[in-house]
Amino acid sequence: MTPTTANVFNLLTLYKEYFGREPFKVEKNNDSPRGTIHYSNKNISFNKIGAYGQDIWFPCELRGGKLNNGNWEAISVVLNACTIAVNMVTNVVSTPVVGRKGTVNEIVNIEDYKFTIRGFLIGQNRKVPEDKIKALVDLKESWMEKTLHGGYPEIFLDESCRIIITELEFPEVQGQSHWIRPFVLTCKSDFITDLEYFEDVFLPE
């Protein structure tokens, strides 16, 4: 099919023609040109520059460890090609009231934040990323403390960044590059590290 410019149009021009004003547009003197590193309020970068000069947005890192012959062995997996979805749920008890419209709603608690990380493990020199696959499996099966780091996920986590990995999936792949392996990892925040018990004591009058 021969390329054509017959259907090329300028959205800015059309917007001004129909609505009589100019929409917001990025000026040419952009203060954050390509290659700028953006930081969160915690001074953690949202992006980084890859080995070939490309922008990598919202990378994250999983850290943990395992016992190997009785010795603690650190595990760190950097995920560059990934997306992160965050799910936040509030438990509410709704009680109907006789003769009234609606219900009385009581907030019971806020559940742990759920993170779903979808991405690719990419092997160097077109080799199967066996070491990265093994590292994710070891993190999933380890009983030791695990943490999630990165400018985006740490917006939702406390200072400890503690998480629990609840699910890890490597989807079936057909007809794709053998050195690029997709994965889906589900984890949730681990805010509570200790329990405090309170008991109301009622004394007789």
Side-chain angles (χ1 to χ4, degrees):
M1 181 176 179
T2 304
T4 177
T5 59
N7 295 325
V8 175
F9 54 88
N10 190 316
L11 286 177
L12 294 177
T13 302
L14 286 176
Y15 193 98
K16 186 175 181 179
E17 178 181 346
Y18 281 94
F19 302 110
R21 65 186 67 181
E22 290 188 4
F24 171 80
K25 61 181 179 180
V26 178
E27 300 295 339
K28 293 183 179 180
N29 57 343
N30 187 8
D31 293 333
S32 301
R34 183 179 178 86
T36 301
I37 303 299
H38 300 259
Y39 291 90
S40 69
N41 292 332
K42 296 181 179 180
N43 200 32
I44 304 171
S45 60
F46 286 119
N47 63 317
K48 66 181 183 180
I49 306 302
Y52 301 99
Q54 76 276 25
D55 274 336
I56 298 176
W57 278 94
F58 304 123
C60 66
E61 181 181 2
L62 292 164
R63 299 175 191 170
K66 67 175 182 178
L67 289 177
N68 187 6
N69 295 325
N71 298 319
W72 186 82
E73 180 179 319
I75 302 173
S76 175
V77 183
V78 177
L79 304 174
N80 289 328
C82 70
T83 61
I84 304 175
V86 185
N87 180 260
M88 296 176 284
V89 177
T90 300
N91 286 322
V92 178
V93 174
S94 299
T95 305
V97 179
V98 177
R100 298 281 300 276
K101 181 188 294 186
T103 58
V104 175
N105 298 303
E106 179 185 2
I107 296 178
V108 177
N109 79 316
I110 297 175
E111 289 191 7
D112 293 317
Y113 297 165
K114 178 182 176 183
F115 297 86
T116 302
I117 305 175
R118 298 179 177 89
F120 298 93
L121 300 178
I122 303 175
Q124 295 182 349
N125 301 322
R126 298 192 174 190
K127 295 181 179 179
V128 176
E130 183 178 1
D131 55 340
K132 296 180 181 179
I133 294 174
K134 184 65 166 55
L136 277 187
V137 173
D138 287 344
L139 276 176
K140 165 66 175 61
E141 295 182 349
S142 173
W143 289 63
M144 306 186 74
E145 179 178 302
K146 309 172 188 69
T147 56
L148 174 62
H149 301 272
Y152 182 63
E154 289 193 45
I155 293 177
F156 308 92
L157 295 169
D158 59 11
E159 294 182 358
S160 71
C161 295
R162 286 168 53 100
I163 59 162
I164 295 176
I165 300 176
T166 58
E167 188 174 350
L168 176 61
E169 177 186 1
F170 295 97
E172 178 184 2
V173 179
Q174 296 182 358
Q176 301 295 331
S177 302
H178 61 274
W179 65 90
I180 302 177
R181 298 290 89 187
F183 72 92
V184 180
L185 184 145
T186 303
C187 58
K188 64 178 183 177
S189 58
D190 188 17
F191 290 130
I192 299 177
T193 58
D194 59 340
L195 295 176
E196 295 182 1
Y197 179 72
F198 298 94
E199 181 179 2
D200 293 329
V201 178
F202 298 93
L203 299 177
E205 295 181 358

